[in-house]
Amino acid sequence: MEITIRAERIRFLLKLLGIWGSVLILWNLFADLVYGYSAQMRGVDYFTAQVVPMVLSADGRPHWLIMLAQTAGWLYPIYALTYLPWWLGTRRAGFWFGTLPVLLLAYALLMIGGIQHAGFAFLSVLEQAKAMVGSTDPAFFDLAQRYILEHFMVGDLTAALALPAGATLLAVGIVSGKTVFPRWFVIVSPLGVLVLTILIGLPLPAPLAGLVLAPFGTWFMLIPNVAAVLWLWNHPDAGTADLFPHSEQRPS
């Protein structure tokens, strides 16, 4: 029957996103560590002003390594596709708690890929130049650094709003019991993973804290992707049984 063929295509897509989507997300793990890891910072330090100079200097890492980390930004359109399994599993919760959260999360990832992971490299440009040739005008240096940081923050503003909004709405949809996922699945949802990352990383000492907290964006994508794909793969009818109208079925 045609619906069986289409269901197989869905399973193929799930396999593609589960395996290759996760492999590509691991490149983001490398970029996160280049941009935000410090062997000297404790977990609590990542939630203080100490994180700002560390990010602005990329912890003294070389220019070529920062440019290499920048390439993770190219992959965010693919990362955004990994929310398709979440839409398959939550769409029954309706627009507000199924479709809209996924759209917000996908949009946030696209913006973060362009502004944060491609743009993060520019945050450390002045510090890199200063380390190479020095700075004879501190006032100019500080103003230029401030302007770059402000442009970065404003450019990332919509993502900063869409990300928590989408993650929260999705979590509410799961807890409501209207999705194909069990209620406990909120733990491996984007919001659950973000909260767990903070709770685990916050009390850790250096240098372990940075390994958990610096790549929080990677865990935010990787764990939900693996969890949603595995659940739908093992419950193939849960997310796709009503995806195609019964009228479209025809004997093989």
Side-chain angles (χ1 to χ4, degrees):
M1 299 174 66
E2 184 179 359
I3 191 170
T4 302
I5 297 174
R6 293 188 177 185
E8 286 303 313
R9 290 177 180 174
I10 292 293
R11 286 174 66 84
F12 173 76
L13 181 59
L14 289 175
K15 184 177 181 180
L16 193 67
L17 292 174
I19 297 176
W20 290 108
S22 297
V23 169
L24 292 177
I25 288 174
L26 290 177
W27 185 246
N28 192 76
L29 174 64
F30 160 77
D32 279 344
L33 293 175
V34 170
Y35 286 145
Y37 175 75
S38 173
Q40 288 74 45
M41 292 181 63
R42 301 168 301 161
V44 293
D45 296 334
Y46 275 87
F47 298 90
T48 68
Q50 294 183 49
V51 76
V52 177
M54 186 271 290
V55 170
L56 292 180
S57 65
D59 208 35
R61 294 181 179 89
H63 180 59
W64 68 268
L65 187 60
I66 298 171
M67 288 195 296
L68 186 61
Q70 188 178 10
T71 61
W74 303 343
L75 299 174
Y76 270 73
I78 298 176
Y79 298 161
L81 291 176
T82 62
Y83 281 113
L84 177 59
W86 282 94
W87 176 76
L88 291 174
T90 61
R91 58 196 172 84
R92 294 179 187 174
F95 175 77
W96 293 105
F97 298 111
T99 301
L100 179 61
V102 172
L103 291 176
L104 287 172
L105 287 168
Y107 169 79
L109 286 193
L110 290 173
M111 287 299 296
I112 289 171
I115 300 299
Q116 280 194 350
H117 273 272
F120 236 106
F122 295 98
L123 290 178
S124 61
V125 167
L126 288 183
E127 287 289 350
Q128 292 177 61
K130 182 180 179 181
M132 293 293 294
V133 300
S135 174
T136 58
D137 191 339
F140 174 82
F141 180 90
D142 292 341
L143 182 61
Q145 188 72 282
R146 195 190 90 193
Y147 280 177
I148 291 175
L149 186 59
E150 288 177 354
H151 278 299
F152 180 84
M153 294 175 64
V154 171
D156 204 36
L157 181 61
T158 56
L161 296 174
L163 195 69
T168 301
L169 289 174
L170 192 69
V172 171
I174 296 170
V175 172
S176 73
K178 296 179 180 179
T179 73
V180 303
F181 301 122
R183 286 186 172 89
W184 65 261
F185 222 69
V186 71
I187 298 173
V188 292
S189 73
L191 181 62
V193 171
L194 180 59
V195 171
L196 284 177
T197 300
I198 294 174
L199 292 178
I200 294 172
L202 189 62
L204 288 178
L208 296 177
L211 296 176
V212 175
L213 293 174
F216 78 92
T218 298
W219 311 136
F220 186 90
M221 297 185 293
L222 180 63
I223 296 175
N225 181 52
V226 172
V229 168
L230 286 178
W231 180 267
L232 293 176
W233 185 265
N234 291 314
H235 303 80
D237 293 333
T240 61
D242 64 340
L243 189 60
F244 307 108
H246 182 75
S247 61
E248 291 186 7
Q249 301 181 27
R250 60 172 182 259
S252 57

